[in-house]
Amino acid sequence: MSAAPPAPAPPDGRPAPTAEPATRRSVRSSLRPLVLRLHFYAGVLIAPFLLVAAATGFLYAASYTAEKVVYADQLTVPVGDRELPIERQVAAARKAHPKGTVAAVRPSAEDGATTRVLLSGVPGVAEDRTLAVFVNPYNGEVRGAEESYGSSGALPLRTWISGLHRDLQLGETGRLYSELAASWLWVIAGGGLVLWFGRRRARRKLRGTTGRRRLLSLHGSVGVWAAGGLFFLSATGLTWSTYAGESIGDLREALGQTTPAVSASAAGAAAGEHAGHGGGTGGTGRSGGADDVGLDAVLKAARAKGLTNPVEIVPPADDSSAYVVKQTERTWPGKADSAAIDPRTGEVTDVLRFDDFPVLAKLTRWGIDAHSGTLFGLANQIVLAALALALVLLIVWGYRMWWLRGSGSAFGRPLPRGAWQHVPAYVLVPLMAAIAVLGYFVPLLGIPLAAFLALDVLLGEIAYRRGRRDPSGQRAA
């Protein structure tokens, strides 16, 4: 007997009903179409956001080197015989820029590097930024002043590129773009890995091919090599995002894994008869007295506790506060110790070692520094640039494959609906529950996914109803 002809495809694109197989499909084979559909649509819809994040991330990785070149006159000076006391360097900066208060001082960290005196409350400078005054530590010459942002002391060029990468210079609203990209990057990368390693036999056939199959081979191979880095960028990017970052912060707080801070309380500091005279900090605006030991004594006390360069000295906030000296080395976060020094006695009142940080606090610091390109210096920045370039290529190849799937004249047809119907209930139900929980804590993953599913179901129902009204039984366009 001849085999019965295959049943015609339903007009809505749903898979045609077939006879139940003798053996139930494996879980892996039933999940693959679902993963393929998610990877395809997530790639198509989220890729523009990822492309912007990758391009701006590439620029940010290069901004560290560019900053050293653009601001070379302010950052470096000829090496002299002896450095001036910190107090005299701060006085020189205050003479050149008398407005505002001294928020922090970053002494010259190496031979030929300038000292930075950071002033807050300077007219014309944004509240979340300081004015960095660069002072030659050997002769007190002021080499210039630039706006500075963040704990890394980013100057205007790097600050602008950082803002472009973070929020497209659109403020809090713009941050949604980067959080959306970070929320979906790991999903797309993970789906690609599942698909690539699930088609071992097909990969052999891709060798030596051309056209779309060649692009598929390149897309998969580069994706596999870059996947680990993309997972890392996604996870670390979410730590300082708006909504997912808040969830991560709440979790760390519940687990007692928040980042600790040195106690800035000075037990022996109290308002005295000299309050309001400015003290020995060069006019910081602190209401301290003339008995302030001064910046040089504070730095000496911190050095005695092992706080090596580079460091930042933060003056007391009020009469009951201490100086805080903290290491600012970002190329290896093991150098992140801090100490509090009593402004009247010069005694160290508290010391916080990075070794004493909770595990998650250490991992967060390492992750953020690596994501920012500072953990391993230039090598870190080169790796970030390579990852950004790889992501750009993956996106371009992905769109090109989509185009070629439509024979080069139009974008390819969408993948068929109904893949979830073949997933066993004992797998589908827990999977959907896990996605719901994850979507709650990562809303820019959960909300777009729910919207996509609702729209997909609606379009499927519309196509199905149109097909039922079509007497020819042809597939709806």
Side-chain angles (χ1 to χ4, degrees):
M1 293 178 64
S2 60
D12 69 331
R14 298 173 183 173
T18 58
E20 279 296 321
T23 57
R24 182 178 298 179
R25 298 177 64 181
S26 69
V27 173
R28 184 172 64 179
S29 62
S30 63
L31 281 174
R32 190 178 187 281
L34 189 62
V35 175
L36 179 61
R37 185 169 172 80
L38 179 63
H39 182 73
F40 173 77
Y41 278 108
V44 168
L45 299 175
I46 306 298
F49 300 96
L50 291 174
L51 186 62
V52 173
T56 55
F58 182 90
L59 292 176
Y60 187 75
S63 68
Y64 289 91
T65 300
E67 185 177 73
K68 294 178 181 179
V69 174
V70 172
Y71 303 104
D73 289 343
Q74 291 96 321
L75 296 174
T76 58
V77 293
V79 179
D81 296 330
R82 178 180 299 179
E83 292 186 4
L84 298 174
I86 303 297
E87 292 284 352
R88 289 185 57 183
Q89 297 180 48
V90 173
R94 299 298 286 137
K95 182 178 180 180
H97 298 273
K99 295 184 179 180
T101 58
V102 178
V105 179
R106 295 189 173 189
S108 173
E110 57 186 7
D111 293 341
T114 54
T115 291
R116 296 192 194 190
V117 180
L118 305 178
L119 305 177
S120 62
V122 178
V125 178
E127 291 184 3
D128 62 339
R129 302 179 186 182
T130 57
L131 182 68
V133 183
F134 299 90
V135 181
N136 186 326
Y138 305 106
N139 59 18
E141 175 194 7
V142 174
R143 303 282 295 184
E146 299 286 349
E147 285 193 15
S148 178
Y149 177 78
S151 58
S152 65
L155 299 180
L157 175 63
R158 183 153 58 94
T159 299
W160 188 86
I161 295 176
S162 174
L164 188 67
H165 178 63
R166 181 180 62 253
D167 56 26
L168 299 179
Q169 300 293 343
L170 298 176
E172 286 300 314
T173 302
R175 292 185 66 181
L176 298 178
Y177 116 83
S178 58
E179 183 168 354
L180 181 68
S183 298
W184 280 89
L185 179 57
W186 69 272
V187 177
I188 298 173
L193 284 179
V194 171
L195 294 173
W196 185 250
F197 286 109
R199 51 181 300 162
R200 298 176 184 175
R201 295 179 181 177
R203 289 207 305 270
R204 300 191 186 101
K205 299 179 181 179
L206 295 177
R207 297 172 183 173
T209 57
T210 58
R212 183 176 180 274
R213 297 174 68 85
R214 174 61 175 168
L215 283 177
L216 179 60
S217 178
L218 287 172
H219 183 86
S221 299
V222 172
V224 168
W225 282 104
L230 298 181
F231 280 126
F232 173 80
L233 292 177
S234 177
T236 53
L238 288 175
T239 59
W240 66 71
S241 61
T242 301
Y243 299 106
E246 183 179 354
S247 296
I248 294 172
D250 291 342
L251 177 62
R252 289 178 56 196
E253 185 175 359
L255 296 175
Q257 294 287 311
T258 56
T259 300
V262 67
S263 174
S265 174
E273 57 179 330
H274 301 289
H277 289 209
T281 56
T284 65
R286 182 186 74 85
S287 58
D291 55 351
D292 191 303
V293 296
L295 292 168
D296 293 279
V298 167
L299 182 59
K300 183 178 179 181
R303 297 286 194 224
K305 292 296 182 179
L307 272 69
T308 57
N309 282 330
V311 297
E312 177 180 273
I313 308 172
V314 179
D318 52 44
D319 295 325
S320 61
S321 300
Y323 282 95
V324 173
V325 182
K326 50 188 176 182
Q327 292 178 308
T328 59
E329 177 64 75
R330 311 295 293 196
T331 56
W332 182 245
K335 294 182 66 175
D337 298 345
S338 55
I341 293 93
D342 190 303
R344 288 175 172 76
T345 65
E347 295 179 357
V348 176
T349 59
D350 190 28
V351 176
L352 176 63
R353 304 292 183 186
F354 183 74
D355 290 341
D356 297 327
F357 278 31
V359 174
L360 289 184
K362 289 181 179 179
L363 292 177
T364 299
R365 173 68 184 266
W366 285 328
I368 289 176
D369 286 350
H371 188 114
S372 301
T374 59
L375 185 61
F376 300 114
L378 181 61
N380 195 163
Q381 295 151 27
I382 292 174
V383 171
L384 288 177
L387 281 174
L389 180 60
L391 184 54
V392 170
L393 291 175
L394 289 171
I395 293 170
V396 172
W397 289 335
Y399 276 120
R400 179 60 178 164
M401 287 188 295
W402 185 26
W403 175 263
L404 293 177
R405 192 166 180 262
S407 301
S409 59
F411 286 116
R413 292 179 178 177
L415 298 170
R417 299 182 178 91
W420 62 271
Q421 298 175 3
H422 300 292
V423 181
Y426 66 87
V427 175
L428 183 62
V429 172
L431 180 63
M432 296 302 293
I435 291 175
V437 172
L438 185 61
Y440 176 80
F441 289 103
V442 188
L444 289 192
L445 170 65
I447 295 174
L449 180 58
F452 163 71
L453 291 176
L455 180 62
D456 197 47
V457 170
L458 177 62
L459 293 177
E461 188 62 26
I462 292 174
Y464 175 70
R465 292 179 180 275
R466 286 178 177 175
R468 291 187 62 182
R469 293 196 300 265
D470 185 358
S472 66
Q474 297 299 314
R475 182 186 298 269

